[in-house]
Amino acid sequence: MDTMTPVYGAGTLLLIAAIAVAALLVLIIVLRMHAFVALVLVSLCTAVAAGVPVADVPAISIAAFGSTLGSVALLVGLGVMIGRLLEVTGGAQVLADTLVSRFGEKRAPMALGVAALLFGLPIFFDAGLVVFLPIIFSVAKRFGGSVLMYALPAAGAFAAMHAIVPPHPGPVTAATELGASIGLTLLVGVVIAVLAWFVGVYLVTTAWLGKIYVPIDDSVLTGGREADGGDPPAFGHVLGILLLPLVLIGANTVLTTLRTNGTIAEEGGVADAFIFIGQTPVALLIALLVATYTLAIKRHSREEIEGLLNDSLGPICAIILITGAGGMFGGVLRYSGIGEALSDSLADLGLPLIVSAFVIATILRVAQGSATVALTTTAGLLSAGVAEADPSSLQLVALVLAIAAGATVLSHVNDSGFWLVSRFFGMDVKTTLKTWTVLETTLGVTIFVLALGVWAVG
């Protein structure tokens, strides 16, 4: 969605955005208005206040809402269906038990985080999170306590990989804009993601955030029903179902990269087929079909399976609508031209280049919500200055990391990911701000500190 020419200056637009966020928090936390209704209301009012022509406000809002649903609804729906089948057949419990036995009971949060880091390499944040839900809840129910002790390490791992490691769109676009090597960004990014996750997510969770009590409520998957009493599937079977979309998406990434580099032809039936089935929604659909006909069909009748899948969708309707409304709010803020309005004032802060990268990305992230938009916009703003500074290849990667760090911190109510985490794990807005927002901030700050080290070495 394009942006309009800003009607007001940067200061006024920032003030409008701040008032909008404050109003949204008051409506949800103080007045107890439903989050979906509050987000839609504030989105419309913000568009009008920011100078969007009144006649265009409905179309812009609906476009932003639909764009978010288009990327989230399919993934969430298919992922929750897979999760429901794993849950009810005992597959999630098998996987959880195996992971915990390998790492030990005291390191169950680490086991979940390490698994999420591996799965998060090619899979986007929201898709990975929904596939991992049954595993998180299985481990949480086994050991009790706050669900956050197990949920945050996994969710934080997906967030870290999504923010800084190609082939995710934000780091790929930022690296391209700055002229950084995508291959080097991938290699360095994986190392930084693991280190940043351990310090900024795992240690913070086990020492602090995981002790904030949030009860375990897996109704989003089970609808209140327990797993069946049949023989559980083999660990390899369950792992294969979870690895299937990973392999398909990974093949898509490799083939697309080879085409971009000119290594293979731009047209070809076999490559086209693998690129198609490696699209995230298609890969999840294939995994769902495999789970249905190799896992569930042996334990349930076709009518029962249909009922299980149908029941799995009910609890996520509110999640999808709230996430779409969060995307509407962020889309309205972006359309109002905040990035363009801030470009002149932020690009000339007089700070070192890598610090400017972090600060600009942070402000854009807080102002409009989308980490990917903050990444790509900041890279575009800095590209001219980077060309003049002529940094080394490693320093270019450090700049990508610094931008990603700023685009990660302070996830709040204008971020659709904030609402996914909030609703999946049964947290109210205040608790999500105290936990997920803090975790994203500690993760982003850790990434930035590591990026400074890479910059110094480079």
Side-chain angles (χ1 to χ4, degrees), residues 140-168:
K141 286 193 292 185
R142 174 173 175 177
F143 297 112
S146 175
V147 70
L148 298 183
M149 183 62 77
Y150 311 98
L152 292 181
F158 284 118
M161 299 300 283
H162 188 77
I164 65 178
V165 179
H168 296 283

Side-chain angles (χ1 to χ4, degrees), residues 35-431:
F36 174 68
V37 178
L39 282 163
V40 173
L41 175 61
V42 172
S43 296
L44 297 176
C45 293
T46 302
V48 173
V52 177
V54 175
D56 295 339
V57 169
I60 298 302
S61 301
I62 292 171
F65 182 81
S67 176
T68 302
L69 287 188
S71 62
V72 170
L74 269 176
L75 304 183
V76 172
L78 293 170
V80 167
M81 284 182 169
I82 295 171
R84 177 61 178 139
L85 293 182
L86 291 176
E87 176 74 17
V88 78
T89 58
Q93 189 65 50
V94 167
L95 190 61
D97 290 344
T98 304
L99 286 172
V100 171
S101 66
R102 299 284 173 83
F103 280 81
E105 294 185 4
K106 294 183 179 180
R107 294 178 179 173
M110 177 177 283
L112 290 172
V114 170
L117 286 170
L118 293 173
F119 278 81
L121 181 60
I123 295 180
F124 287 9
F125 171 80
D126 40 14
L129 188 59
V130 295
V131 171
F132 251 60
L133 281 179
I135 305 170
I136 293 169
F137 286 127
S138 291
V139 175
K141 286 193 292 185
R142 174 173 175 177
F143 297 112
S146 175
V147 70
L148 298 183
M149 183 62 77
Y150 311 98
L152 292 181
F158 284 118
M161 299 300 283
H162 188 77
I164 65 178
V165 179
H168 296 283
V172 168
T173 305
T176 302
E177 286 281 348
L178 298 179
S181 166
I182 292 179
L184 186 59
T185 303
L186 172 61
L187 294 175
V188 176
V190 168
V191 176
I192 297 300
V194 173
L195 293 174
W197 169 82
F198 181 76
V199 176
V201 175
Y202 177 72
L203 293 182
V204 172
T205 298
T206 54
W208 174 24
L209 299 179
K211 297 178 181 179
I212 297 175
Y213 182 72
V214 173
I216 300 166
D217 178 11
D218 63 348
S219 60
V220 68
L221 291 179
T222 66
R225 294 191 290 179
E226 296 297 326
D228 60 42
D231 293 333
F235 170 74
H237 189 175
V238 178
L239 185 62
I241 291 173
L242 289 177
L243 284 176
L244 179 58
L246 180 77
V247 172
L248 294 177
I249 295 169
N252 169 293
T253 302
V254 171
L255 291 172
T256 302
T257 302
L258 291 176
R259 277 190 169 178
T260 302
N261 294 338
T263 305
I264 62 174
E266 292 187 3
E267 296 182 358
V270 175
D272 286 343
F274 276 101
I275 288 174
F276 169 71
I277 64 176
Q279 298 291 330
T280 302
V282 179
L284 287 175
L285 175 61
I286 292 172
L288 173 61
L289 294 174
V290 171
T292 300
Y293 291 102
T294 67
L295 193 65
I297 202 71
K298 298 177 181 179
R299 296 167 176 81
H300 298 276
S301 68
R302 296 179 186 274
E303 290 77 13
E304 288 174 331
I305 293 173
E306 181 182 4
L308 290 172
L309 296 180
N310 186 62
D311 291 346
S312 71
L313 295 177
I316 67 167
C317 289
I319 293 173
I320 291 175
L321 288 174
I322 291 171
T323 301
M328 177 193 292
F329 184 39
V332 165
L333 293 176
R334 290 192 292 277
Y335 184 79
S336 66
I338 287 177
E340 294 181 30
L342 294 177
S343 60
D344 293 336
S345 57
L346 294 180
D348 300 321
L349 290 174
L351 298 172
L353 190 58
I354 191 166
V355 178
S356 295
F358 176 74
V359 172
I360 293 172
T362 297
I363 293 175
L364 290 175
R365 159 71 155 171
V366 173
Q368 52 77 46
S370 169
T372 300
V373 170
L375 269 160
T376 55
T377 303
T378 304
L381 294 176
L382 291 177
S383 57
V386 169
E388 293 179 5
D390 193 26
S392 68
S393 298
L394 196 56
Q395 287 180 327
L396 285 173
V397 172
L399 285 174
V400 174
L401 295 174
I403 294 172
T408 300
V409 301
L410 295 172
S411 168
H412 64 101
V413 292
N414 61 0
D415 176 16
S416 59
F418 175 93
W419 295 104
L420 274 181
V421 172
S422 171
R423 294 318 184 220
F424 275 148
F425 301 118
M427 294 187 286
D428 58 25
V429 172
K430 185 185 297 185
T431 304

